[in-house]
Amino acid sequence: MTNAQILAACRSNWEYRGIDDASMREMLDELSAHLEDAEAAGRTAQDVVGGNVRTFAAAWARARAPLPRRVLRAASIGCYFAGWVLLIPYLTRWTTQLDVTPGNLSFWGVLAAVTVAWNLRRGSLGLLRSWGVALLVALPAGILVDWLAGDGPLFTLPLWAPPLLLLPGLPYAVADARARKNAAAADAA
């Protein structure tokens, strides 16, 4: 395995595990320096990371960000994206209340489940492609549930619910945006 392949495998593992961008960049820089030092000393990359790169990356991720912190971050970011997705119907319909039907609930649930399952199983396709694949599954599911259960509202969601969902993930989103901005500035310099 080349150094670039090892770094790519570690990056994807750390993205999957929810390591923030700033920490991931720091970890990649440190690993890259260790790999270069090993190469200069005549050792192989396997001497640095061991026999299994995924195990190495997972152990480093656990040491860097313990599971409770990663779960909190993932849940907060999930709520953040759910808040933005829920806000769209309010803005497109110019309403202060949204009727949630069984079809809507199944559509968004299947969309989220397929997106997460695809990214966990196959890795990231990019946001647009993964949502495209998820739409191919979620749209028929939503239509089928609407047809079977009817389109009567289950409950009404007030306008304050989406902004409330945005709040937990806002600090993480701001921190990630700052880290990307700083990384872009560092790369340009």
Side-chain angles (χ1 to χ4, degrees):
M1 227 176 178
T2 66
N3 289 356
Q5 290 171 327
I6 290 172
L7 291 172
C10 287
R11 173 187 287 277
S12 68
N13 191 295
W14 295 333
E15 284 175 349
Y16 161 72
R17 293 180 182 283
I19 302 295
D20 63 282
D21 289 340
S23 296
M24 189 179 340
R25 187 164 199 57
E26 183 181 317
M27 292 164 71
L28 286 170
D29 289 344
E30 186 177 338
L31 179 58
S32 179
H34 284 303
L35 291 171
E36 289 171 5
D37 290 346
E39 191 174 293
R43 295 183 323 206
T44 66
Q46 302 295 337
D47 295 334
V48 175
V49 297
N52 189 339
V53 177
R54 289 181 182 158
T55 304
F56 168 80
W60 199 355
R62 280 191 300 275
R64 184 68 176 230
L67 181 63
R69 194 168 72 190
R70 290 194 321 258
V71 168
L72 177 65
R73 182 180 190 282
S76 298
I77 294 293
C79 285
Y80 181 76
F81 283 116
W84 279 112
V85 167
L86 273 175
L87 197 57
I88 293 169
Y90 288 100
L91 296 175
T92 57
R93 296 177 187 165
W94 289 98
T95 183
T96 59
Q97 293 191 357
L98 183 67
D99 289 335
V100 178
T101 64
N104 290 357
L105 211 53
S106 67
F107 172 79
W108 290 111
V110 169
L111 183 76
V114 169
T115 302
V116 168
W118 185 270
N119 285 333
L120 291 179
R121 182 74 181 127
R122 297 285 181 200
S124 180
L125 285 174
L127 187 63
L128 292 178
R129 283 188 187 157
S130 65
W131 275 34
V133 169
L135 275 173
L136 289 175
V137 178
L139 197 57
I143 292 170
L144 180 66
V145 169
D146 251 353
W147 182 66
L148 292 174
D151 59 356
L154 294 174
F155 56 92
T156 302
L157 203 58
L159 180 60
W160 55 263
L164 192 63
L165 283 172
L166 290 172
L167 287 177
L170 199 56
Y172 293 108
V174 169
D176 286 350
R178 283 184 182 165
R180 279 195 288 287
K181 180 181 169 188
N182 291 341
D187 288 343

